[in-house]
């Protein structure tokens, strides 16, 4: 891309080139829990942003972490895309009809046993966000151009239960976006750069 700001049409064209699904694949363990998340790209006149949430501190999985709206595939969901859209409505109040689904990024497998399908979709303001107080502590947006700059990403090591993990992170003022969320954002950046 040039120095001009990325537009919604650029994302539409890129995912159309990819046939809606990025060609990169990851090995999946059938024991992993299937899940879908939405990477909501908000189409503000001033520029595109990505809507993120901070999970509440009392949750069993990923408490207090920055994430995309989404969750596990339930029996009533047609697929992971449907799960991502349903969960987005439940968690932040963006109805499926408000989302223009562009396509999917490569599936992402977390260290906690989730096989996640990242779905990229455009969302037009104004948004009437209604965070689920049980799951969502905060909703915020980060400029897409900032997140597409792979030079901003860092690698961090941490230890849990005697195991050392390498994770990707991208700091944003007042927030620390890391782990699976940062990994999926980096995947989006690579997808747009190819």
């Amino acid at each position: 891309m040039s120095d001009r700001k990325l537009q919604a049409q650029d994302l539409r064209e890129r995912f159309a080139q990819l046939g809606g699904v990025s060609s990169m694949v990851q090995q999946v363990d059938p024991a992993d829990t299937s899940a879908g998340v939405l990477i909501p790209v908000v189409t503000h006149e001033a520029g595109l942003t990505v809507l993120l949430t901070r999970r509440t501190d009392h949750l069993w999985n990923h408490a207090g972490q920055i994430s995309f709206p989404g969750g596990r595939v339930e029996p009533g969901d047609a697929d992971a895309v449907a799960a991502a859209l349903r969960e987005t409505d439940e968690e932040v109040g963006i109805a499926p009809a408000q989302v223009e689904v562009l396509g999917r990024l490569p599936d992402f497998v977390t260290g906690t046993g989730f096989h996640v399908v990242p779905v990229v979709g455009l969302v037009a303001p104004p948004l009437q966000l209604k965070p689920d107080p049980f799951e969502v502590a905060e909703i915020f947006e980060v400029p897409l151009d900032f997140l597409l700059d792979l030079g901003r990403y860092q690698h961090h090591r941490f230890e849990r239960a005697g195991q050392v993990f390498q994770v990707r992170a991208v700091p944003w003022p007042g927030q620390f976006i890391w782990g699976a969320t940062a990994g999926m954002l980096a995947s989006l950046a690579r997808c747009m750069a190819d």
Side-chain angles (χ1 to χ4, degrees):
M1 294 277 152
S2 65
D3 287 339
R4 75 174 180 81
K5 279 192 175 274
L6 202 62
Q7 302 293 317
Q9 190 58 30
D10 297 317
L11 271 77
R12 287 185 187 103
E13 290 172 4
R14 181 63 181 139
F15 278 91
Q17 288 172 348
L18 295 170
V21 180
S22 178
S23 61
M24 298 176 279
V25 293
Q26 222 180 6
Q27 195 66 21
V28 176
D29 183 338
D32 288 337
T33 301
S34 295
V37 298
L38 179 67
I39 301 175
V41 178
V42 185
T43 59
H44 295 288
E45 282 188 35
L48 303 178
T49 63
V50 175
L51 184 141
L52 295 157
T53 67
R54 185 172 56 80
R55 294 170 59 83
T56 53
D57 291 331
H58 68 268
L59 293 174
W60 181 258
N61 287 312
H62 313 291
Q65 293 181 13
I66 305 304
S67 66
F68 300 112
R72 70 181 67 230
V73 176
E74 301 291 346
D77 296 323
D79 55 21
V81 175
L85 295 173
R86 174 186 52 75
E87 288 276 351
T88 298
D89 190 12
E90 292 173 5
E91 290 179 19
V92 298
I94 297 174
Q98 293 177 267
V99 181
E100 177 188 345
V101 174
L102 299 179
R104 295 170 41 175
L105 294 175
D107 295 358
F108 195 93
V109 179
T110 70
T112 53
F114 285 89
H115 169 192
V116 182
V117 173
V119 179
V120 179
L122 297 174
V123 183
L127 301 177
Q128 301 295 321
L129 299 176
K130 293 176 244 143
D132 175 347
F134 182 78
E135 289 191 55
V136 178
E138 180 181 0
I139 300 172
F140 64 99
E141 296 177 40
V142 179
L144 179 62
D145 289 330
F146 177 91
L147 295 169
L148 294 184
D149 180 354
L150 285 169
R152 298 183 185 277
Y153 288 75
Q154 307 167 352
H155 290 279
H156 290 265
R157 289 171 44 116
F158 77 97
E159 187 176 330
R160 180 176 21 155
Q163 281 192 298
V164 175
F165 295 90
Q166 291 276 353
V167 296
R168 192 173 294 239
V170 58
W172 176 249
Q175 307 292 350
F176 190 67
I177 305 164
W178 68 283
T181 302
M184 288 182 256
L185 286 168
S187 177
L188 176 60
R190 287 190 302 273
C191 172
M192 293 304 296
D194 288 345

